[in-house]
Amino acid sequence: MKPPTLFTKRLVLRRWTDCDRTVLARITADPEVMRFRLRTLSRQESDELIDTTERCFDERGFGMWAAERAADGRLIGYIGLEEAGDDMPFRPLVHIGWHLVADVWGHGYATEGAAAVLDYAFEELGLAEVVAHTTARNHRSEGVMRRLGMTHNPRDDFDAPWYPLGHPNRRFVLYRLKKAQWRA
Ligand SMILES: CC(C)(COP(=O)(O)OP(=O)(O)OC[C@H]1O[C@@H](n2cnc3c(N)ncnc32)[C@H](O)[C@@H]1OP(=O)(O)O)[C@@H](O)C(=O)NCCC(=O)NCCS
């Protein structure tokens, strides 16, 4: 399956090009953007993120789409789907995520792009359910989950094994969305 470019009112969600590498590296090196991640990324790690997601597009038909603002062609981050390793404490493993440059927060771009990704996940990939997770301190990310109509059961919350014991970001919330809920 060839993953399509997804269009929304204000965004183009597309595959990555080499020209995106410098811009993404700047975004993933910004401590504000990465505040709720384990740490900022090096240039090499940021490049690997593109390489990994491009491989996933080829092999699985999904990945983190490069999010370009239609009005000016600016790369503002990424929005898409990822599959967690099966040692992770949640099911299903395919989860949706978003990551945008800080000066575009507060405009609804993450929710808008994620809605197109969910359409694709349910209608084209045929997934029955998609989850999303973030550290319980990341209220902006949780806000996107709520705006998408995802639901939260505290029994699903978990300690993220990729954070060391005692780290303030270790407690994660998990949100769910079933295909039938999305259609409704
Ligand atoms: C998480 C993240 C993507 C959320 O971005 P965001 O801009 O807050 O989310 P949305 O795109 O849904 O925008 C919602 C905000 O835009 C406002 N908004 C303005 N115009 C809007 C529109 N046309 N449609 C919807 N919302 C709109 C909403 O009122 C809301 O404002 P608020 O922040 O004052 O409540 C962003 O904070 C981010 O990239 N953080 C760093 C990376 C990260 O932590 N990623 C998640 C890891 S799990």
Side-chain angles (χ1 to χ4, degrees), residues 146-168:
R146 288 211 194 91
R147 276 187 287 278
L148 291 167
M150 302 185 87
T151 54
H152 176 226
N153 181 338
R155 277 197 306 247
D156 284 330
D157 293 351
F158 63 96
D159 289 327
W162 56 92
Y163 275 103
L165 276 176
H167 193 290

mmCIF file of all heavy atoms in Angstrom, residues 146-168:
data_model
loop_
_atom_site.group_PDB
_atom_site.id
_atom_site.type_symbol
_atom_site.label_atom_id
_atom_site.label_comp_id
_atom_site.label_asym_id
_atom_site.label_seq_id
_atom_site.Cartn_x
_atom_site.Cartn_y
_atom_site.Cartn_z
ATOM 1 N N ARG A 146 -8.483 14.821 23.951
ATOM 2 C CA ARG A 146 -9.873 15.111 24.318
ATOM 3 C C ARG A 146 -10.626 15.742 23.160
ATOM 4 O O ARG A 146 -11.762 15.391 22.878
ATOM 5 C CB ARG A 146 -9.917 16.060 25.516
ATOM 6 C CG ARG A 146 -9.505 15.411 26.781
ATOM 7 C CD ARG A 146 -10.233 16.024 27.976
ATOM 8 N NE ARG A 146 -9.579 15.615 29.191
ATOM 9 C CZ ARG A 146 -8.599 16.306 29.778
ATOM 10 N NH1 ARG A 146 -8.226 17.464 29.293
ATOM 11 N NH2 ARG A 146 -8.027 15.851 30.871
ATOM 12 N N ARG A 147 -9.984 16.708 22.470
ATOM 13 C CA ARG A 147 -10.674 17.366 21.340
ATOM 14 C C ARG A 147 -11.010 16.359 20.239
ATOM 15 O O ARG A 147 -11.968 16.548 19.502
ATOM 16 C CB ARG A 147 -9.807 18.504 20.777
ATOM 17 C CG ARG A 147 -9.953 19.808 21.545
ATOM 18 C CD ARG A 147 -9.210 20.954 20.868
ATOM 19 N NE ARG A 147 -7.778 20.829 21.036
ATOM 20 C CZ ARG A 147 -7.107 21.216 22.120
ATOM 21 N NH1 ARG A 147 -7.739 21.783 23.125
ATOM 22 N NH2 ARG A 147 -5.806 21.066 22.195
ATOM 23 N N LEU A 148 -10.210 15.300 20.137
ATOM 24 C CA LEU A 148 -10.491 14.275 19.117
ATOM 25 C C LEU A 148 -11.596 13.313 19.563
ATOM 26 O O LEU A 148 -12.001 12.441 18.801
ATOM 27 C CB LEU A 148 -9.217 13.461 18.832
ATOM 28 C CG LEU A 148 -8.109 14.226 18.105
ATOM 29 C CD1 LEU A 148 -6.809 13.443 18.158
ATOM 30 C CD2 LEU A 148 -8.502 14.497 16.646
ATOM 31 N N GLY A 149 -12.050 13.462 20.815
ATOM 32 C CA GLY A 149 -13.104 12.569 21.321
ATOM 33 C C GLY A 149 -12.554 11.267 21.868
ATOM 34 O O GLY A 149 -13.309 10.301 22.045
ATOM 35 N N MET A 150 -11.250 11.218 22.138
ATOM 36 C CA MET A 150 -10.670 10.001 22.720
ATOM 37 C C MET A 150 -11.097 9.922 24.190
ATOM 38 O O MET A 150 -11.354 10.946 24.818
ATOM 39 C CB MET A 150 -9.141 10.012 22.599
ATOM 40 C CG MET A 150 -8.674 10.132 21.161
ATOM 41 S SD MET A 150 -6.874 10.017 20.954
ATOM 42 C CE MET A 150 -6.652 8.232 20.830
ATOM 43 N N THR A 151 -11.169 8.712 24.710
ATOM 44 C CA THR A 151 -11.641 8.558 26.085
ATOM 45 C C THR A 151 -10.532 8.011 26.985
ATOM 46 O O THR A 151 -9.638 7.289 26.532
ATOM 47 C CB THR A 151 -12.870 7.617 26.151
ATOM 48 O OG1 THR A 151 -12.525 6.387 25.514
ATOM 49 C CG2 THR A 151 -14.066 8.234 25.467
ATOM 50 N N HIS A 152 -10.654 8.373 28.249
ATOM 51 C CA HIS A 152 -9.609 8.058 29.214
ATOM 52 C C HIS A 152 -10.171 7.228 30.359
ATOM 53 O O HIS A 152 -11.150 7.639 30.984
ATOM 54 C CB HIS A 152 -9.030 9.382 29.755
ATOM 55 C CG HIS A 152 -8.002 9.170 30.818
ATOM 56 N ND1 HIS A 152 -7.986 9.880 32.000
ATOM 57 C CD2 HIS A 152 -6.953 8.322 30.887
ATOM 58 C CE1 HIS A 152 -6.964 9.481 32.742
ATOM 59 N NE2 HIS A 152 -6.329 8.536 32.091
ATOM 60 N N ASN A 153 -9.571 6.089 30.606
ATOM 61 C CA ASN A 153 -9.899 5.297 31.786
ATOM 62 C C ASN A 153 -8.609 5.196 32.602
ATOM 63 O O ASN A 153 -7.623 4.607 32.131
ATOM 64 C CB ASN A 153 -10.372 3.904 31.354
ATOM 65 C CG ASN A 153 -10.752 3.061 32.561
ATOM 66 O OD1 ASN A 153 -10.308 3.315 33.680
ATOM 67 N ND2 ASN A 153 -11.575 2.050 32.333
ATOM 68 N N PRO A 154 -8.600 5.780 33.806
ATOM 69 C CA PRO A 154 -7.359 5.801 34.601
ATOM 70 C C PRO A 154 -6.753 4.413 34.819
ATOM 71 O O PRO A 154 -5.554 4.300 35.069
ATOM 72 C CB PRO A 154 -7.795 6.431 35.935
ATOM 73 C CG PRO A 154 -9.055 7.172 35.631
ATOM 74 C CD PRO A 154 -9.721 6.464 34.483
ATOM 75 N N ARG A 155 -7.597 3.368 34.674
ATOM 76 C CA ARG A 155 -7.044 2.002 34.842
ATOM 77 C C ARG A 155 -6.027 1.655 33.759
ATOM 78 O O ARG A 155 -5.232 0.737 33.897
ATOM 79 C CB ARG A 155 -8.184 0.983 34.826
ATOM 80 C CG ARG A 155 -8.855 0.830 36.186
ATOM 81 C CD ARG A 155 -9.663 -0.454 36.202
ATOM 82 N NE ARG A 155 -10.577 -0.473 35.070
ATOM 83 C CZ ARG A 155 -11.895 -0.423 35.156
ATOM 84 N NH1 ARG A 155 -12.463 -0.381 36.330
ATOM 85 N NH2 ARG A 155 -12.651 -0.438 34.081
ATOM 86 N N ASP A 156 -6.083 2.402 32.617
ATOM 87 C CA ASP A 156 -5.143 2.149 31.518
ATOM 88 C C ASP A 156 -3.796 2.856 31.721
ATOM 89 O O ASP A 156 -2.849 2.616 30.968
ATOM 90 C CB ASP A 156 -5.719 2.682 30.200
ATOM 91 C CG ASP A 156 -6.809 1.791 29.636
ATOM 92 O OD1 ASP A 156 -6.761 0.579 29.874
ATOM 93 O OD2 ASP A 156 -7.707 2.324 28.941
ATOM 94 N N ASP A 157 -3.745 3.798 32.657
ATOM 95 C CA ASP A 157 -2.516 4.583 32.813
ATOM 96 C C ASP A 157 -1.358 3.673 33.235
ATOM 97 O O ASP A 157 -1.569 2.608 33.816
ATOM 98 C CB ASP A 157 -2.738 5.707 33.828
ATOM 99 C CG ASP A 157 -3.734 6.735 33.281
ATOM 100 O OD1 ASP A 157 -4.090 6.644 32.089
ATOM 101 O OD2 ASP A 157 -4.156 7.622 34.046
ATOM 102 N N PHE A 158 -0.155 4.109 32.928
ATOM 103 C CA PHE A 158 0.986 3.205 33.150
ATOM 104 C C PHE A 158 2.261 4.006 33.412
ATOM 105 O O PHE A 158 2.320 5.212 33.126
ATOM 106 C CB PHE A 158 1.172 2.285 31.927
ATOM 107 C CG PHE A 158 1.507 3.017 30.640
ATOM 108 C CD1 PHE A 158 2.817 3.153 30.212
ATOM 109 C CD2 PHE A 158 0.491 3.568 29.852
ATOM 110 C CE1 PHE A 158 3.121 3.830 29.033
ATOM 111 C CE2 PHE A 158 0.791 4.242 28.658
ATOM 112 C CZ PHE A 158 2.103 4.365 28.250
ATOM 113 N N ASP A 159 3.246 3.336 33.943
ATOM 114 C CA ASP A 159 4.571 3.936 34.117
ATOM 115 C C ASP A 159 5.393 3.624 32.873
ATOM 116 O O ASP A 159 5.570 2.456 32.525
ATOM 117 C CB ASP A 159 5.261 3.367 35.357
ATOM 118 C CG ASP A 159 4.610 3.869 36.635
ATOM 119 O OD1 ASP A 159 4.125 5.028 36.639
ATOM 120 O OD2 ASP A 159 4.555 3.108 37.620
ATOM 121 N N ALA A 160 5.876 4.681 32.217
ATOM 122 C CA ALA A 160 6.608 4.493 30.962
ATOM 123 C C ALA A 160 7.978 3.878 31.256
ATOM 124 O O ALA A 160 8.798 4.492 31.943
ATOM 125 C CB ALA A 160 6.764 5.828 30.256
ATOM 126 N N PRO A 161 8.218 2.676 30.735
ATOM 127 C CA PRO A 161 9.472 1.994 31.071
ATOM 128 C C PRO A 161 10.707 2.702 30.530
ATOM 129 O O PRO A 161 11.819 2.429 30.993
ATOM 130 C CB PRO A 161 9.315 0.613 30.428
ATOM 131 C CG PRO A 161 8.092 0.655 29.592
ATOM 132 C CD PRO A 161 7.318 1.886 29.896
ATOM 133 N N TRP A 162 10.516 3.621 29.550
ATOM 134 C CA TRP A 162 11.682 4.307 28.984
ATOM 135 C C TRP A 162 12.137 5.489 29.851
ATOM 136 O O TRP A 162 13.145 6.111 29.574
ATOM 137 C CB TRP A 162 11.424 4.737 27.539
ATOM 138 C CG TRP A 162 10.213 5.598 27.326
ATOM 139 C CD1 TRP A 162 10.184 6.962 27.326
ATOM 140 C CD2 TRP A 162 8.875 5.164 27.061
ATOM 141 N NE1 TRP A 162 8.899 7.400 27.094
ATOM 142 C CE2 TRP A 162 8.084 6.323 26.916
ATOM 143 C CE3 TRP A 162 8.267 3.913 26.929
ATOM 144 C CZ2 TRP A 162 6.709 6.259 26.648
ATOM 145 C CZ3 TRP A 162 6.909 3.864 26.666
ATOM 146 C CH2 TRP A 162 6.151 5.008 26.527
ATOM 147 N N TYR A 163 11.356 5.793 30.929
ATOM 148 C CA TYR A 163 11.802 6.806 31.894
ATOM 149 C C TYR A 163 12.362 6.111 33.131
ATOM 150 O O TYR A 163 11.794 5.110 33.581
ATOM 151 C CB TYR A 163 10.619 7.674 32.340
ATOM 152 C CG TYR A 163 10.336 8.831 31.422
ATOM 153 C CD1 TYR A 163 9.285 8.795 30.518
ATOM 154 C CD2 TYR A 163 11.127 9.976 31.463
ATOM 155 C CE1 TYR A 163 9.027 9.859 29.671
ATOM 156 C CE2 TYR A 163 10.870 11.048 30.627
ATOM 157 C CZ TYR A 163 9.828 10.985 29.731
ATOM 158 O OH TYR A 163 9.580 12.038 28.908
ATOM 159 N N PRO A 164 13.427 6.662 33.724
ATOM 160 C CA PRO A 164 13.967 6.037 34.942
ATOM 161 C C PRO A 164 12.992 6.144 36.117
ATOM 162 O O PRO A 164 12.180 7.082 36.155
ATOM 163 C CB PRO A 164 15.241 6.837 35.217
ATOM 164 C CG PRO A 164 15.170 8.060 34.380
ATOM 165 C CD PRO A 164 14.192 7.823 33.278
ATOM 166 N N LEU A 165 13.068 5.217 37.042
ATOM 167 C CA LEU A 165 12.231 5.253 38.254
ATOM 168 C C LEU A 165 12.372 6.603 38.935
ATOM 169 O O LEU A 165 13.482 7.131 39.040
ATOM 170 C CB LEU A 165 12.711 4.171 39.233
ATOM 171 C CG LEU A 165 12.193 2.759 39.031
ATOM 172 C CD1 LEU A 165 12.870 1.826 40.030
ATOM 173 C CD2 LEU A 165 10.686 2.706 39.153
ATOM 174 N N GLY A 166 11.240 7.175 39.358
ATOM 175 C CA GLY A 166 11.282 8.444 40.084
ATOM 176 C C GLY A 166 11.286 9.663 39.198
ATOM 177 O O GLY A 166 11.174 10.790 39.678
ATOM 178 N N HIS A 167 11.378 9.493 37.881
ATOM 179 C CA HIS A 167 11.371 10.644 36.973
ATOM 180 C C HIS A 167 9.976 11.268 36.975
ATOM 181 O O HIS A 167 8.971 10.554 36.920
ATOM 182 C CB HIS A 167 11.754 10.188 35.559
ATOM 183 C CG HIS A 167 12.073 11.323 34.637
ATOM 184 N ND1 HIS A 167 11.107 12.191 34.168
ATOM 185 C CD2 HIS A 167 13.249 11.749 34.114
ATOM 186 C CE1 HIS A 167 11.677 13.088 33.380
ATOM 187 N NE2 HIS A 167 12.975 12.842 33.347
ATOM 188 N N PRO A 168 9.886 12.617 37.040
ATOM 189 C CA PRO A 168 8.557 13.251 37.136
ATOM 190 C C PRO A 168 7.661 13.031 35.907
ATOM 191 O O PRO A 168 6.449 13.212 36.002
ATOM 192 C CB PRO A 168 8.877 14.749 37.308
ATOM 193 C CG PRO A 168 10.308 14.907 36.922
ATOM 194 C CD PRO A 168 10.973 13.589 37.163
#
